[in-house]
Amino acid sequence: MLTVDYDRLHLRPGMTVLDLGCGEGRHAFEAYRRGARVVAVDWGQHEVATTKRWLGAIAEAGEAPAGARYEVVRGDLLHLPFPDASVDRVMASEVLEHIPDDATAMAEITRVLKPGGRVAVTVPRFGPERICWALSDAYHANEGGHIRIYRADVLRARLSTAGLVPGASHHAHALHAPYWWLKCAVGVDEDSAAVRAYHRLLVWDLTERPWLTRTVERVLDPLIGKSFVVYADKPAEVAVAAAGLDRERSAAAR
């Protein structure tokens, strides 16, 4: 299940892509299959091990083109172990809502992006998420859980403050919103027949991709899509300005 639209991310073979807070690797897998040089990053040891194992299986199965590369590292999103302006694309899917100091995380994304690079940020959408919070504290109030709900304008403003230029956006996973409302209503840790039935529907939709559910979700995404996705660019003018400053300094030194 992908939340990021790789066409809107303008991902091309050979690009270096960071998947931040990769979880068990769903976005890293697709980027790798598309020929990217993927670096998947997560703080969880289990997540790192699982992602590395599955990327290895994709490589052994020959599902990635010859130029594709992958690396999986355990890392802190507040102190990314990468040089300045070293990556072409960044994906941060469903991770910023977990981080108390999201401003530093966004600043780190800006730092490692090359001028002209693009980031895809996805977070739980305000409306559907507020319903989940209202129905269940256990849904979010736990160690490592969601600590905030972003409004779209607030997320855009924070990305701008970090030095990025937010652009296109969309919503995703409308069929998942009622599932989580139902799960929160009956208890997130409860084994409910209704929740199990809905989960089977989601698995069927994911594996079979039937026309009916795909159409329904496309219609409902703008209304109740569970995730909000925004794409933001690091201005290319940063590189031009830096080059001009270097020339001025060089001339002054002569």
Side-chain angles (χ1 to χ4, degrees):
M1 183 183 73
L2 297 176
T3 309
V4 172
D5 183 332
Y6 289 80
D7 293 331
R8 298 192 198 205
L9 187 59
H10 294 172
L11 178 64
R12 297 188 296 274
M15 283 184 167
T16 300
V17 182
L18 291 186
D19 182 6
L20 301 180
C22 66
E24 296 190 344
R26 60 194 175 102
H27 284 101
F29 303 156
E30 180 64 17
Y32 181 51
R33 289 189 177 103
R34 289 178 177 239
R37 298 172 181 174
V38 180
V39 183
V41 182
D42 204 286
W43 185 247
Q45 293 179 333
H46 170 77
E47 287 79 1
V48 167
T50 300
T51 300
K52 186 178 296 185
R53 183 171 65 252
W54 279 107
L55 283 168
I58 292 170
E60 290 180 9
E63 296 179 11
R69 299 287 184 273
Y70 74 85
E71 180 182 3
V72 187
V73 299
R74 186 168 183 253
D76 182 354
L77 272 64
L78 302 182
H79 306 281
L80 293 174
F82 308 107
D84 296 356
S86 59
V87 303
D88 301 291
R89 298 288 185 267
V90 174
M91 299 181 291
S93 183
E94 312 297 306
V95 62
L96 290 177
E97 67 274 11
H98 297 273
I99 300 176
D101 188 3
D102 63 336
T104 295
M106 294 180 194
E108 278 290 272
I109 289 171
T110 305
R111 179 184 67 79
V112 301
L113 262 179
K114 295 177 181 178
R118 176 166 291 188
V119 57
V121 173
T122 93
V123 296
R125 185 181 186 174
F126 184 85
E129 185 76 349
R130 280 296 303 147
I131 294 173
C132 288
W133 283 42
L135 290 171
S136 171
D137 288 336
Y139 167 80
H140 69 95
N142 50 68
E143 185 177 357
H146 299 181
I147 63 170
R148 71 174 65 82
I149 308 174
Y150 288 101
R151 291 187 182 274
D153 58 341
V154 170
L155 179 59
R156 286 177 173 275
R158 293 188 183 183
L159 291 170
S160 296
T161 299
L164 298 167
V165 180
S169 63
H170 60 90
H171 300 95
H173 311 317
L175 294 181
H176 288 249
Y179 169 78
W180 282 104
W181 298 338
L182 178 61
K183 193 171 178 65
C184 288
V186 302
V188 292
D189 297 320
E190 296 297 323
D191 184 23
S192 160
V195 171
R196 291 198 304 272
Y198 202 133
H199 186 265
R200 287 195 296 270
L201 170 66
L202 293 178
V203 172
W204 174 72
D205 172 62
L206 179 64
T207 56
E208 300 298 329
R209 313 296 290 174
W211 173 86
L212 177 60
T213 54
R214 292 297 82 226
T215 301
V216 169
E217 184 153 83
R218 281 195 299 271
V219 171
L220 291 179
D221 272 343
L223 302 174
I224 60 168
K226 183 73 166 62
S227 294
F228 172 68
V229 189
V230 61
Y231 304 86
D233 297 328
K234 182 173 179 177
E237 290 78 7
V238 171
V240 175
L245 182 59
D246 288 343
R247 286 195 296 271
E248 290 175 7
R249 289 172 175 171
S250 178
R254 288 199 291 268

